[in-house]
Amino acid sequence: MASDTWKILLLRLRHHLPKMLGVAVLSTAVAAGCWLAGGLGLPVLERALYDRALTTFTRSKGQSADIVVVAIDQSSLDGVRDNPAYARDFGPYPWNRGLWTRVVEELANQGAKAVLFDGVMMDEPSTDESTDAGFAQVLKDTGLPVYLGVATHPRAAPLPKVEPVHPPPAPDFGEGADVMMAMARVLAFPVKTDGRALPVLESELLPGARQPNHLVPPIAPLLAEADGFGLVETEPDPDGVLRRTRFAYTDGANAYVTLPVAAAADFFGAGELVFSGRTLRLGSRELKVNPDGSAELDFGGPLHERFPIVPVVALLDAWSLRQEGKPPTGGLGIEPDLFRGRLVVIGPTALGLGETRVTPFGSSAPGLSKQLAALENLLSGRFITEAPFWVSLLFALGLAVLSAVLLMTVRSPALELAWLLLLVVPLSFGVMGASLALGRVHVLAALPAAAGLLACLGAMASNHLFANREAAFIRQAFSRYMEPRLIEQMIEENQLPKLDGEERELTAFFSDIRGFSSFSESFQHNPRELVRVLNQYLTRVSSALLNEGGCLDKYIGDAVVCLFGAPINHTDHAVRACRGALAAQAEVAKLRAEFRAKGMPDVYTRIGLNSARLFVGNFGSEQLFDYTAMGDGMNLASRLEGANKSYGSLIMIGPRTYELARDHIEVRELDRVRVAGKAEAVTVYELLALKGALPAQKRWTVQRYHEALALYREQRFAEAAGVLKAQLSEDPEDGPTAVLLARCQKYQEHPPAHFDGVVSLEK
């Protein structure tokens, strides 16, 4: 049964594969068109799936070993305000640069590798210019590399075009110097774009109205002493979520890099930023990027999970303790050597400072989360990049093909619903998650999900609106005659019955109950019980035949007519018919035991099998037809069933059946017979068992019978009778031995006038 099921599935796949592929290709093409046009909400779905995959599959364990965050958090705001000395020296937030002087000095003393200021703009002079000078002096004296974030604004003065070099020459802000030119040389960065256009610095004041932005340079003392400057653009996606970064921008005149790139350029010894294809090169570092020069950020988790965080006020306290000659880390929550050899990023985390942003890991993340992720990705040498579109398209096609093939092959309503609702999107999501986790590659999920869903709908439409119409007719017509799995096989092989019929070789099965008239007489006072018993008999015999692929032709009272090899063209129809006949006899043997236990009369079933070319089809009208076969072969099968009575056998098969199934069955050659109306004699056989299943005693009986049959055909009747008589004493229940013995004894007493060894079967 399992093999038949697989055969049906393979047949469906073979016959409908072009249609399945057509559905898949069309679905993929529609989904790709919608993706490119931004239809069906696919970009929104993609962003949602990407965020969930990022948070599910890429969350890192442990904190960064390279970066420490110095946070302008609420505890620092409160600590500076509540400390009279700090409040006097630094004022309210934003604090004067005297505070940052102490912070940088303390970080230098604790061995920090470099400092990046994000969200702390240094573009306006302090009211006390001495604090600006003091901050610039500490940058010079400590030698600690410091990188400042640079903001942009539409009303800022544009900088002139320059030929940038890195590191830039010391700026000249003396009397008569071109200050704007000096600023441009410091802030611009050499970028080679390989022909691609850099994104333009601009802002959207009103919906649809954009205008260029220009850099707001830091104050002159810091331009001269800081080691680098970088943009701190927000770079949100259309839905406002921070997911990606660009490494360089232009204001139409010069190129400017982002703050993480400005710092990383010095770490990697870079004199320029170079884009080439999908590669970004920064000194010794080479990274994969998207075709437009962007890259998606691998956040690794929320800021508080990824980085050690120290409040600014803790560093102020550490500086104060150091001035007093006390250990600068005791009781401040600063672990020994926390800053040694690490990059320090300073930025606001307090909610009231207006730097809250949305990331895949949270709806209220500090703005510096983006710069931290970009810096860490630069240091690790790996961002998340989009897979080439053809990869996602191929994945979409593969999922569409899988959906169409699966649903159009299995054709299960339950599977259709499960695959449609539960598996397509999770499968796309799982592949996206695996690509992010294993390769930090963003394979699209919304496009494949849409292609898969459209393919599901196309497959379901094909199943229910087209393929099932003709199949439903066949199922209804043959449901009472054949096993459902064989009907499905017939449909998939496109072997649909025709009213005008066809000629093919098949094996006909006839069976009848011996002594049914006597059997039925015992129920003359209870005819309902007779009907129940007969139905039980027919059901069990029919089931045995259907399990072997037979097609029930008709019931004639207690007789069963069945066809093997039609309407399904089984090439092993003779073997199937033999197996079915033996299985039917086994079911009858069980019924006999049940009847005996109930005190009911004993019954036997006689069976005739014959293989021949017959005319088979639906004989009848458009309104009512009967699938049957016609021809001499059918008549011979019927005659063989009746001839069992004359030979004392149970299953008699014709010569063609024996020829086709001889390698699979055990038989006894019974005789050569001549059918009424036919001059040609045929050899008939008794089917005894499947190959290798005949008991040794019965095998010996058959062997002795064949010896006697050979003597009989030589008209040595006395010798044949001697062999048969001796064997009958050992196997007294063997009917064919008793029948041939009686015939030999008859001919021994009354020799025939004309003997040819052939017996004529009566009508």
Side-chain angles (χ1 to χ4, degrees), residues 314-333:
L315 283 171
L316 291 177
D317 292 342
W319 183 90
S320 298
L321 290 173
R322 190 183 296 277
Q323 301 307 307
E324 298 173 8
K326 299 178 181 179
T329 58
L332 301 178

Side-chain angles (χ1 to χ4, degrees), residues 45 124 143 160 166 214 225-226 242 358 392 424 489 555 578 681 731:
L45 176 61
E124 291 186 4
H166 187 77
H214 301 287
E225 300 300 340
L242 306 183
V358 181
S392 296
V424 173
Q489 182 178 333
Y555 298 126
C578 291
D731 190 0

